Amino acid sequence: MHSLLPHSLILRNPPLYSPSLSAMSSSLTLPSISLKKIPSPSPSPSPRSQLFLPSNSLCFSASRDGVRSFGLKHSDRSRVFMSVSVGSQTVVDDALFSDYKPSSAFLFPGQGAQAVGMGKEAQNVPAAALLYKKANDILGFDLLDLCINGPKEKLDSTVISQPAIYVTSLAAVELLRTRDGGQQIIDSVDVTCGLSLGEYTALAFAGAFSFEDGLKLVKLRGEAMQEAADAAKSAMVSVIGLDSDKVQQLCDAANLEVPEAEKVQIANYLCPGNYAVSGGIKGVEAVEAKAKSFKARMTVRLAVAGAFHTSFMEPAVSRLEAALAETEIRTPRIPVISNVDAQPHADPDTIKKILARQVTSPVQWETTVKTLLTKGLKKSYELGPGKVIAGIVKRMDKGAVIENIGA
């Protein structure tokens, strides 16, 4: 039935990310297909409800404990959407965002961006500080203390760094909100994405799941990836100064010299001249040994638990699938670009499948950024620790406008 449906199925009131509320959902079960045109609304929301109309409409959200949720406030365009309900299940066209036109983007960092001291500034903003308090309850340890005081070795571990970056990145959104014009910036964002782990942060920002549910997923993801890394010795190395074709040739040459279980592949297409290779220890060592002969400028062994974004992470997939199956995921209110295929997805079931595949699939970050810039992105913001993403964007377009918002 899905293949017969027109494109642009309606998003049915997906909640916005709000650190003060558990995500709410509403869905009206219809016995048949319904077609409706949605004009721009007049601002008259209930104080306890949320209204979302897709594609540059108004968003209103509940407020409690002094913490507001995200919203959009631009453009008076209206569009026609379709929704189909079969029984109690709503079918959403996954291609809903395929014609997105980005102007302002939020970009969220991935593992490796963590640094001792992050989160300190966030404690001056009640809404940001509240995120860490909620995280402590969910994680069962004092995340803020580890963020601010370390030790670095513990903060760098996969099981700690992933939730730490997720929480700190969303805390940065709350810091931005308190700035003059900050709420207007948040309202203007019409696309978001994140590097590997950062995709979960982007989905939370876009209202696909609650802050709490996202953190539970990130916690499990870190634990599952660490367990997969412990099961087989593996590593990652950045190759600097070669294009992607040359790096692939380097991998092919290294793979001729190692057993099948030690082979390597490109795991992260970061930006021109910077690609991460993952695989067995012997395979990574072969890449390091051969890099100079391929005219690479240098190689840098990455301080990660293992060969992320390759089949070495396959043991983590089933745990992620099980957790995702139990998590309520809704259509994002704005496009969230996937690391797996550099495309936005609207169907919750598709988003779940892609998140499960993400840990074993190469990260298509170069294509993601290139597409955003080609489509006319005017300004972007990197929210969270570090400035890795800003460096990547500037490397791809020196004239690109990007601002760092730390916490």
Side-chain angles (χ1 to χ4, degrees), residues 6-63:
H7 290 307
S8 299
L9 293 173
I10 191 169
L11 291 76
R12 207 178 322 248
N13 298 347
L16 308 178
Y17 154 76
S18 172
S20 65
L21 296 173
S22 295
M24 299 179 290
S25 66
S26 59
S27 178
L28 175 64
T29 303
L30 302 180
S32 60
I33 296 176
S34 64
L35 179 66
K36 51 186 174 181
K37 184 171 184 178
I38 304 176
S40 296
S42 57
S44 57
S46 162
R48 291 269 180 177
S49 65
Q50 295 184 340
L51 170 64
F52 170 65
L53 299 178
S55 185
N56 306 328
S57 298
L58 292 176
C59 285
F60 303 98
S61 60
S63 177

Side-chain angles (χ1 to χ4, degrees), residues 1 21 136 138 182 206 285 391:
M1 182 176 181
L21 296 173
N136 291 349
I138 291 170
E285 289 173 347

